[in-house]
Amino acid sequence: MHVLYFHQYFSTPSGSSGTRSYEMARALVEKGHSVTMVCGSSQLSKTELDQDMHNGVRSGLVDGINVVEIDLEYSNHNSLLKRSLLFLQFAWRSIGIARKTDYDVLFATTTPLTAGLPGIFMRLLKPGKPFVFEVRDLWPELPKAMGVISNPVVLWAMGLLETISYKTAHHCIALSPGIQQGILKKKPKAAVSMIPNGCDLEFFSATERGRNNKLKAVFTGAHGQANGLDAVLNAAAELKRRNDQSIELHFIGDGKLKPELVSRAKREQLDNCVFLDPVPKKELRDQLAEYDVGLMILANVSAFYYGTSPNKFFDYLACGLPVLNNYPGWLSQLISENDCGIAIAPDDAKLFADALQELASDPDRRIAMGRAARQLGEEQFNRARLAASFIECLEAVHTNQT
């Protein structure tokens, strides 16, 4: 089976971005299938292709995956307009590649939502070829709820594209329970599999943390509006008011709001906040071993509660890090039910500071939570088992359509 795989932000572990598509593609190759991965260039992603671009494209074999990289460099510092144009350009170039490629299954993963356009067009041009659509976030629900996009015409167009993507796909893959429900709301009889992000249990190892004098909590990932990182700074300010110098809050990553967050921390003299540059996943593995708590932070937007599947959460589990989560939803329930961290109500700096102090004061409980986190990752979110389900899904779609 030849899978034509579209992911604009594809990255190997050499990059600082999520590696789900790399892991799934590798699993397909190991099972004996061939994969052509079409992606764009990105500030944080790394394809490991290093030759010069020719007519805006370069390609080569990366760990058994035939990678086709389009010279459309994306940065999360770009304006909304520039990002939108890059999304449309990538979709247009992808359609051209799909037309010329002999494949068995076309697979496209969001974000952006325009990732589905090659599949939609190929249903018209190659109606016998199956199309599988993976949904990582619900659009336009999330940007609408956040107030990022308010133009009714744009929201209508995005909603239409979302509906067409679901209805033209032979099968959909959802990364969270809320995403699965969102797809079924638009297409009640859709064939949908829920395959969340997973834990790379062989890549990350669970490190037993010691009883250090300072508690070090870490947030990894994007520093954007969706992440709501002012909540962490609010907790840092509360800790400072309590004259508690036993806790440090570290931020690893980049994003549009990072300069504002750094500026605020300096202005308010929050010396308990440390901002670090994004690092390749290979280096992040070693860095996470130095921390005591993983921070799972998002803005208090109800659409996030069940509609996201953040990579960082599963990396924390794989490392055996207890998780401090600041918004309700399915991850909060998992944390509480498995006693692998603390889930607090959103927008409450005092509760946030209380939770950090609680974790700092009880290292034995913290270590037990870390063990429970790793156990949860092994039992429910083993990436190898999830990849096997992913492959079975694509194989079944291919078989049913041929």
Side-chain angles (χ1 to χ4, degrees):
M1 181 175 69
H2 179 202
V3 179
L4 181 57
Y5 198 132
F6 292 94
H7 183 196
Q8 189 160 351
Y9 311 140
F10 168 78
S11 181
T12 69
S14 297
S16 306
S17 187
T19 58
R20 175 185 174 95
S21 290
Y22 169 81
E23 301 295 345
M24 295 303 190
R26 282 286 306 133
L28 281 163
V29 170
E30 289 173 4
K31 188 75 185 294
H33 301 298
S34 60
V35 179
T36 297
M37 177 69 65
V38 182
C39 62
S41 302
S42 175
Q43 179 189 35
L44 299 178
S45 302
K46 299 294 181 187
T47 63
E48 297 189 14
L49 298 177
D50 56 8
Q51 67 267 38
D52 292 337
M53 295 278 182
H54 180 66
N55 293 328
V57 178
R58 61 183 171 191
S59 62
L61 208 61
V62 177
D63 295 337
I65 308 163
N66 180 32
V67 177
V68 179
E69 181 182 354
I70 302 171
D71 188 16
L72 293 170
E73 185 156 352
Y74 173 87
S75 167
N76 52 21
H77 289 276
N78 292 341
S79 67
L80 179 61
L81 177 60
K82 186 172 182 180
R83 279 181 285 162
S84 299
L85 291 173
L86 283 171
F87 297 157
L88 290 170
Q89 285 178 281
F90 179 77
W92 178 252
R93 298 284 295 275
S94 296
I95 292 167
I97 291 171
R99 288 182 62 190
K100 298 174 183 177
T101 304
D102 183 19
Y103 61 86
D104 296 304
V105 176
L106 188 152
F107 179 86
T109 182
T110 65
T111 57
L113 181 59
T114 47
L117 285 171
I120 294 169
F121 274 83
M122 288 306 103
R123 282 300 309 271
L124 299 172
L125 299 175
K126 298 180 181 180
K129 299 288 188 178
F131 166 38
V132 179
F133 189 47
E134 182 177 80
V135 186
R136 299 182 179 217
D137 297 297
L138 287 175
W139 285 63
E141 287 84 346
L142 289 183
K144 180 181 178 181
M146 291 170 57
V148 174
I149 300 174
S150 57
N151 186 302
V153 176
V154 174
L155 289 170
W156 173 84
M158 292 176 68
L160 180 63
L161 178 56
E162 178 192 35
T163 301
I164 294 172
S165 297
Y166 299 160
K167 291 192 174 182
T168 54
H170 292 93
H171 198 97
C172 291
I173 293 177
L175 267 67
S176 78
I179 293 173
Q180 186 175 31
Q181 292 170 10
I183 295 169
L184 291 171
K185 186 176 179 181
K186 293 292 180 73
K187 186 183 178 182
K189 296 183 180 180
V192 188
S193 299
M194 209 280 273
I195 305 177
N197 277 318
C199 298
D200 296 325
L201 298 168
E202 295 182 2
F203 183 83
F204 290 105
S205 58
T207 304
E208 190 102 323
R209 274 79 183 172
R211 295 166 175 77
N212 301 318
N213 293 328
K214 277 198 173 185
L215 178 89
K216 292 171 68 176
V218 63
F219 172 89
T220 65
H223 295 33
Q225 184 176 341
N227 306 98
L229 293 179
D230 273 307
V232 187
L233 270 62
N234 293 342
E238 177 63 26
L239 289 170
K240 190 157 187 178
R241 277 191 289 271
R242 299 179 186 184
N243 198 30
D244 189 336
Q245 300 178 359
S246 67
I247 298 169
E248 284 187 357
L249 303 166
H250 290 215
F251 304 77
I252 301 175
D254 197 8
K256 196 169 186 178
L257 296 187
K258 184 170 183 177
E260 294 179 24
L261 294 164
V262 173
S263 177
R264 178 189 165 188
K266 288 181 179 178
R267 185 172 64 251
E268 297 181 18
Q269 298 182 334
L270 301 177
D271 50 5
N272 51 359
C273 292
V274 179
F275 290 88
L276 302 168
D277 292 333
V279 295
K281 193 168 183 177
K282 292 176 180 178
E283 293 181 28
L284 181 64
R285 171 178 54 190
D286 298 329
Q287 289 195 13
L288 287 178
E290 302 173 7
Y291 290 97
D292 304 293
V293 178
L295 299 176
M296 188 56 251
I297 312 298
L298 277 175
N300 184 20
V301 176
S302 60
F304 286 147
Y305 297 172
Y306 293 90
T308 60
S309 184
N311 287 304
K312 62 181 72 64
F313 174 73
F314 301 98
D315 289 347
Y316 297 156
L317 296 186
C319 292
L321 273 176
V323 183
L324 176 51
N325 178 83
N326 80 328
Y327 64 99
W330 75 293
L331 298 186
S332 173
Q333 291 171 1
L334 280 169
I335 291 167
S336 299
E337 290 168 359
N338 294 276
D339 196 23
C340 60
I342 298 178
I344 60 171
D347 302 328
D348 192 323
K350 291 183 178 180
L351 276 180
F352 202 137
D354 289 344
L356 287 166
Q357 289 183 319
E358 181 182 338
L359 289 164
S361 66
D362 194 345
D364 289 334
R365 184 179 175 217
R366 195 171 68 236
I367 289 170
M369 285 178 169
R371 290 175 184 154
R374 175 73 182 194
Q375 184 176 351
L376 174 61
E378 291 172 350
E379 293 178 353
Q380 295 191 36
F381 300 106
N382 184 318
R383 173 64 64 78
R385 285 202 293 268
L386 293 171
S389 298
F390 174 84
I391 294 169
E392 288 173 8
C393 174
L394 266 62
E395 288 175 338
V397 173
H398 176 236
T399 300
N400 292 337
Q401 296 302 316
T402 55

